[in-house]
mmCIF file with all atom_site columns, all heavy atoms in Angstrom:
data_model
loop_
_atom_site.group_PDB
_atom_site.id
_atom_site.type_symbol
_atom_site.label_atom_id
_atom_site.label_alt_id
_atom_site.label_comp_id
_atom_site.label_asym_id
_atom_site.label_entity_id
_atom_site.label_seq_id
_atom_site.pdbx_PDB_ins_code
_atom_site.Cartn_x
_atom_site.Cartn_y
_atom_site.Cartn_z
_atom_site.occupancy
_atom_site.B_iso_or_equiv
_atom_site.pdbx_formal_charge
_atom_site.auth_seq_id
_atom_site.auth_comp_id
_atom_site.auth_asym_id
_atom_site.auth_atom_id
_atom_site.pdbx_PDB_model_num
ATOM 1   N N   . LEU A 1 97  ? -99.187  -101.161 -55.231 1.00 92.00 ? 251 LEU A N   1
ATOM 2   C CA  . LEU A 1 97  ? -99.637  -101.734 -54.057 1.00 92.00 ? 251 LEU A CA  1
ATOM 3   C C   . LEU A 1 97  ? -98.608  -102.738 -53.547 1.00 92.00 ? 251 LEU A C   1
ATOM 4   O O   . LEU A 1 97  ? -98.189  -103.750 -54.301 1.00 92.00 ? 251 LEU A O   1
ATOM 5   C CB  . LEU A 1 97  ? -100.942 -102.471 -54.278 1.00 92.00 ? 251 LEU A CB  1
ATOM 6   C CG  . LEU A 1 97  ? -102.264 -101.639 -54.506 1.00 92.00 ? 251 LEU A CG  1
ATOM 7   C CD1 . LEU A 1 97  ? -103.361 -102.527 -54.994 1.00 92.00 ? 251 LEU A CD1 1
ATOM 8   C CD2 . LEU A 1 97  ? -102.552 -101.064 -53.080 1.00 92.00 ? 251 LEU A CD2 1
ATOM 9   N N   . ARG A 1 98  ? -98.322  -102.589 -52.247 1.00 93.00 ? 252 ARG A N   1
ATOM 10  C CA  . ARG A 1 98  ? -97.343  -103.625 -51.701 1.00 93.00 ? 252 ARG A CA  1
ATOM 11  C C   . ARG A 1 98  ? -97.914  -104.015 -50.301 1.00 93.00 ? 252 ARG A C   1
ATOM 12  O O   . ARG A 1 98  ? -98.632  -103.413 -49.636 1.00 93.00 ? 252 ARG A O   1
ATOM 13  C CB  . ARG A 1 98  ? -95.957  -103.046 -51.518 1.00 93.00 ? 252 ARG A CB  1
ATOM 14  C CG  . ARG A 1 98  ? -95.224  -102.837 -52.872 1.00 93.00 ? 252 ARG A CG  1
ATOM 15  C CD  . ARG A 1 98  ? -93.858  -102.246 -52.655 1.00 93.00 ? 252 ARG A CD  1
ATOM 16  N NE  . ARG A 1 98  ? -93.140  -102.184 -54.021 1.00 93.00 ? 252 ARG A NE  1
ATOM 17  C CZ  . ARG A 1 98  ? -92.408  -102.988 -54.611 1.00 93.00 ? 252 ARG A CZ  1
ATOM 18  N NH1 . ARG A 1 98  ? -92.191  -104.198 -54.023 1.00 93.00 ? 252 ARG A NH1 1
ATOM 19  N NH2 . ARG A 1 98  ? -91.927  -102.745 -55.694 1.00 93.00 ? 252 ARG A NH2 1
ATOM 20  N N   . LEU A 1 99  ? -97.341  -105.114 -49.830 1.00 96.00 ? 253 LEU A N   1
ATOM 21  C CA  . LEU A 1 99  ? -97.667  -105.563 -48.495 1.00 96.00 ? 253 LEU A CA  1
ATOM 22  C C   . LEU A 1 99  ? -96.935  -104.689 -47.458 1.00 96.00 ? 253 LEU A C   1
ATOM 23  O O   . LEU A 1 99  ? -95.848  -104.329 -47.715 1.00 96.00 ? 253 LEU A O   1
ATOM 24  C CB  . LEU A 1 99  ? -97.070  -106.951 -48.285 1.00 96.00 ? 253 LEU A CB  1
ATOM 25  C CG  . LEU A 1 99  ? -98.111  -108.225 -48.700 1.00 96.00 ? 253 LEU A CG  1
ATOM 26  C CD1 . LEU A 1 99  ? -98.291  -108.228 -50.232 1.00 96.00 ? 253 LEU A CD1 1
ATOM 27  C CD2 . LEU A 1 99  ? -97.639  -109.505 -48.133 1.00 96.00 ? 253 LEU A CD2 1
ATOM 28  N N   . LEU A 1 100 ? -97.666  -104.352 -46.391 1.00 95.00 ? 254 LEU A N   1
ATOM 29  C CA  . LEU A 1 100 ? -97.024  -103.576 -45.303 1.00 95.00 ? 254 LEU A CA  1
ATOM 30  C C   . LEU A 1 100 ? -96.304  -104.699 -44.465 1.00 95.00 ? 254 LEU A C   1
ATOM 31  O O   . LEU A 1 100 ? -96.143  -105.839 -44.949 1.00 95.00 ? 254 LEU A O   1
ATOM 32  C CB  . LEU A 1 100 ? -98.162  -102.890 -44.433 1.00 95.00 ? 254 LEU A CB  1
ATOM 33  C CG  . LEU A 1 100 ? -98.759  -101.673 -45.266 1.00 95.00 ? 254 LEU A CG  1
ATOM 34  C CD1 . LEU A 1 100 ? -99.824  -100.990 -44.397 1.00 95.00 ? 254 LEU A CD1 1
ATOM 35  C CD2 . LEU A 1 100 ? -97.581  -100.595 -45.485 1.00 95.00 ? 254 LEU A CD2 1
ATOM 36  N N   . GLU A 1 101 ? -96.003  -104.326 -43.154 1.00 96.00 ? 255 GLU A N   1
ATOM 37  C CA  . GLU A 1 101 ? -95.010  -105.157 -42.413 1.00 96.00 ? 255 GLU A CA  1
ATOM 38  C C   . GLU A 1 101 ? -95.656  -106.606 -42.269 1.00 96.00 ? 255 GLU A C   1
ATOM 39  O O   . GLU A 1 101 ? -96.800  -106.850 -41.934 1.00 96.00 ? 255 GLU A O   1
ATOM 40  C CB  . GLU A 1 101 ? -94.925  -104.544 -41.064 1.00 96.00 ? 255 GLU A CB  1
ATOM 41  C CG  . GLU A 1 101 ? -93.959  -105.270 -40.212 1.00 96.00 ? 255 GLU A CG  1
ATOM 42  C CD  . GLU A 1 101 ? -93.672  -104.696 -38.796 1.00 96.00 ? 255 GLU A CD  1
ATOM 43  O OE1 . GLU A 1 101 ? -94.333  -103.633 -38.529 1.00 96.00 ? 255 GLU A OE1 1
ATOM 44  O OE2 . GLU A 1 101 ? -92.866  -105.290 -38.003 1.00 96.00 ? 255 GLU A OE2 1
ATOM 45  N N   . VAL A 1 102 ? -94.885  -107.545 -42.438 1.00 97.00 ? 256 VAL A N   1
ATOM 46  C CA  . VAL A 1 102 ? -95.075  -108.941 -42.238 1.00 97.00 ? 256 VAL A CA  1
ATOM 47  C C   . VAL A 1 102 ? -94.258  -109.525 -41.265 1.00 97.00 ? 256 VAL A C   1
ATOM 48  O O   . VAL A 1 102 ? -93.077  -109.289 -41.114 1.00 97.00 ? 256 VAL A O   1
ATOM 49  C CB  . VAL A 1 102 ? -95.131  -109.803 -43.431 1.00 97.00 ? 256 VAL A CB  1
ATOM 50  C CG1 . VAL A 1 102 ? -95.370  -111.358 -43.295 1.00 97.00 ? 256 VAL A CG1 1
ATOM 51  C CG2 . VAL A 1 102 ? -96.053  -109.291 -44.556 1.00 97.00 ? 256 VAL A CG2 1
ATOM 52  N N   . PRO A 1 135 ? -95.236  -96.791  -48.649 1.00 80.00 ? 289 PRO A N   1
ATOM 53  C CA  . PRO A 1 135 ? -94.362  -97.809  -48.140 1.00 80.00 ? 289 PRO A CA  1
ATOM 54  C C   . PRO A 1 135 ? -94.481  -98.254  -46.764 1.00 80.00 ? 289 PRO A C   1
ATOM 55  O O   . PRO A 1 135 ? -94.122  -99.490  -46.547 1.00 80.00 ? 289 PRO A O   1
ATOM 56  C CB  . PRO A 1 135 ? -92.993  -97.069  -48.426 1.00 80.00 ? 289 PRO A CB  1
ATOM 57  C CG  . PRO A 1 135 ? -93.236  -95.650  -48.426 1.00 80.00 ? 289 PRO A CG  1
ATOM 58  C CD  . PRO A 1 135 ? -94.596  -95.444  -48.909 1.00 80.00 ? 289 PRO A CD  1
ATOM 59  N N   . ASN A 1 136 ? -94.854  -97.457  -45.855 1.00 82.00 ? 290 ASN A N   1
ATOM 60  C CA  . ASN A 1 136 ? -94.676  -97.842  -44.390 1.00 82.00 ? 290 ASN A CA  1
ATOM 61  C C   . ASN A 1 136 ? -95.927  -97.495  -43.599 1.00 82.00 ? 290 ASN A C   1
ATOM 62  O O   . ASN A 1 136 ? -95.868  -97.613  -42.412 1.00 82.00 ? 290 ASN A O   1
ATOM 63  C CB  . ASN A 1 136 ? -93.580  -97.283  -43.761 1.00 82.00 ? 290 ASN A CB  1
ATOM 64  C CG  . ASN A 1 136 ? -92.144  -97.582  -44.417 1.00 82.00 ? 290 ASN A CG  1
ATOM 65  O OD1 . ASN A 1 136 ? -91.895  -98.832  -44.604 1.00 82.00 ? 290 ASN A OD1 1
ATOM 66  N ND2 . ASN A 1 136 ? -91.359  -96.649  -44.748 1.00 82.00 ? 290 ASN A ND2 1
ATOM 67  N N   . LYS A 1 185 ? -93.829  -111.845 -47.645 1.00 95.00 ? 339 LYS A N   1
ATOM 68  C CA  . LYS A 1 185 ? -92.804  -110.952 -46.813 1.00 95.00 ? 339 LYS A CA  1
ATOM 69  C C   . LYS A 1 185 ? -93.183  -109.545 -47.023 1.00 95.00 ? 339 LYS A C   1
ATOM 70  O O   . LYS A 1 185 ? -93.839  -109.150 -47.907 1.00 95.00 ? 339 LYS A O   1
ATOM 71  C CB  . LYS A 1 185 ? -91.305  -111.354 -47.121 1.00 95.00 ? 339 LYS A CB  1
ATOM 72  C CG  . LYS A 1 185 ? -91.006  -111.042 -48.581 1.00 95.00 ? 339 LYS A CG  1
ATOM 73  C CD  . LYS A 1 185 ? -89.535  -111.581 -48.808 1.00 95.00 ? 339 LYS A CD  1
ATOM 74  C CE  . LYS A 1 185 ? -88.510  -110.837 -48.107 1.00 95.00 ? 339 LYS A CE  1
ATOM 75  N NZ  . LYS A 1 185 ? -87.134  -111.181 -48.509 1.00 95.00 ? 339 LYS A NZ  1
ATOM 76  N N   . THR A 1 186 ? -92.708  -108.738 -46.069 1.00 95.00 ? 340 THR A N   1
ATOM 77  C CA  . THR A 1 186 ? -92.784  -107.167 -46.262 1.00 95.00 ? 340 THR A CA  1
ATOM 78  C C   . THR A 1 186 ? -92.370  -106.729 -47.640 1.00 95.00 ? 340 THR A C   1
ATOM 79  O O   . THR A 1 186 ? -91.315  -107.074 -48.142 1.00 95.00 ? 340 THR A O   1
ATOM 80  C CB  . THR A 1 186 ? -91.961  -106.513 -45.003 1.00 95.00 ? 340 THR A CB  1
ATOM 81  O OG1 . THR A 1 186 ? -92.325  -107.097 -43.782 1.00 95.00 ? 340 THR A OG1 1
ATOM 82  C CG2 . THR A 1 186 ? -92.335  -105.047 -45.009 1.00 95.00 ? 340 THR A CG2 1
ATOM 83  N N   . LYS A 1 187 ? -93.231  -105.833 -48.061 1.00 91.00 ? 341 LYS A N   1
ATOM 84  C CA  . LYS A 1 187 ? -92.953  -104.996 -49.222 1.00 91.00 ? 341 LYS A CA  1
ATOM 85  C C   . LYS A 1 187 ? -93.173  -105.750 -50.540 1.00 91.00 ? 341 LYS A C   1
ATOM 86  O O   . LYS A 1 187 ? -92.853  -105.263 -51.607 1.00 91.00 ? 341 LYS A O   1
ATOM 87  C CB  . LYS A 1 187 ? -91.549  -104.410 -49.212 1.00 91.00 ? 341 LYS A CB  1
ATOM 88  C CG  . LYS A 1 187 ? -91.521  -103.185 -48.128 1.00 91.00 ? 341 LYS A CG  1
ATOM 89  C CD  . LYS A 1 187 ? -90.053  -102.518 -48.153 1.00 91.00 ? 341 LYS A CD  1
ATOM 90  C CE  . LYS A 1 187 ? -90.102  -101.522 -47.197 1.00 91.00 ? 341 LYS A CE  1
ATOM 91  N NZ  . LYS A 1 187 ? -88.775  -100.696 -47.300 1.00 91.00 ? 341 LYS A NZ  1
ATOM 92  N N   . LYS A 1 188 ? -93.545  -107.053 -50.537 1.00 93.00 ? 342 LYS A N   1
ATOM 93  C CA  . LYS A 1 188 ? -93.804  -107.616 -51.752 1.00 93.00 ? 342 LYS A CA  1
ATOM 94  C C   . LYS A 1 188 ? -95.007  -107.003 -52.480 1.00 93.00 ? 342 LYS A C   1
ATOM 95  O O   . LYS A 1 188 ? -96.032  -106.551 -51.831 1.00 93.00 ? 342 LYS A O   1
ATOM 96  C CB  . LYS A 1 188 ? -94.169  -109.200 -51.630 1.00 93.00 ? 342 LYS A CB  1
ATOM 97  C CG  . LYS A 1 188 ? -92.932  -109.886 -51.223 1.00 93.00 ? 342 LYS A CG  1
ATOM 98  C CD  . LYS A 1 188 ? -91.836  -110.003 -52.322 1.00 93.00 ? 342 LYS A CD  1
ATOM 99  C CE  . LYS A 1 188 ? -90.634  -110.904 -52.036 1.00 93.00 ? 342 LYS A CE  1
ATOM 100 N NZ  . LYS A 1 188 ? -89.721  -110.769 -53.004 1.00 93.00 ? 342 LYS A NZ  1
ATOM 101 N N   . ARG A 1 189 ? -94.908  -106.996 -53.823 1.00 91.00 ? 343 ARG A N   1
ATOM 102 C CA  . ARG A 1 189 ? -95.923  -106.228 -54.648 1.00 91.00 ? 343 ARG A CA  1
ATOM 103 C C   . ARG A 1 189 ? -97.096  -107.034 -55.041 1.00 91.00 ? 343 ARG A C   1
ATOM 104 O O   . ARG A 1 189 ? -96.942  -108.299 -55.180 1.00 91.00 ? 343 ARG A O   1
ATOM 105 C CB  . ARG A 1 189 ? -95.192  -105.641 -55.835 1.00 91.00 ? 343 ARG A CB  1
ATOM 106 C CG  . ARG A 1 189 ? -96.132  -104.768 -56.669 1.00 91.00 ? 343 ARG A CG  1
ATOM 107 C CD  . ARG A 1 189 ? -95.235  -103.852 -57.600 1.00 91.00 ? 343 ARG A CD  1
ATOM 108 N NE  . ARG A 1 189 ? -94.615  -104.597 -58.728 1.00 91.00 ? 343 ARG A NE  1
ATOM 109 C CZ  . ARG A 1 189 ? -93.645  -104.036 -59.399 1.00 91.00 ? 343 ARG A CZ  1
ATOM 110 N NH1 . ARG A 1 189 ? -93.181  -102.910 -59.297 1.00 91.00 ? 343 ARG A NH1 1
ATOM 111 N NH2 . ARG A 1 189 ? -93.082  -104.722 -60.332 1.00 91.00 ? 343 ARG A NH2 1
#
Side-chain angles (χ1 to χ4, degrees):
L251 281 169
R252 289 185 183 267
L253 274 68
L254 290 175
E255 185 182 359
V256 175
N290 299 308
K339 61 187 294 188
T340 304
K341 293 186 178 181
K342 284 298 181 182
R343 191 160 65 193

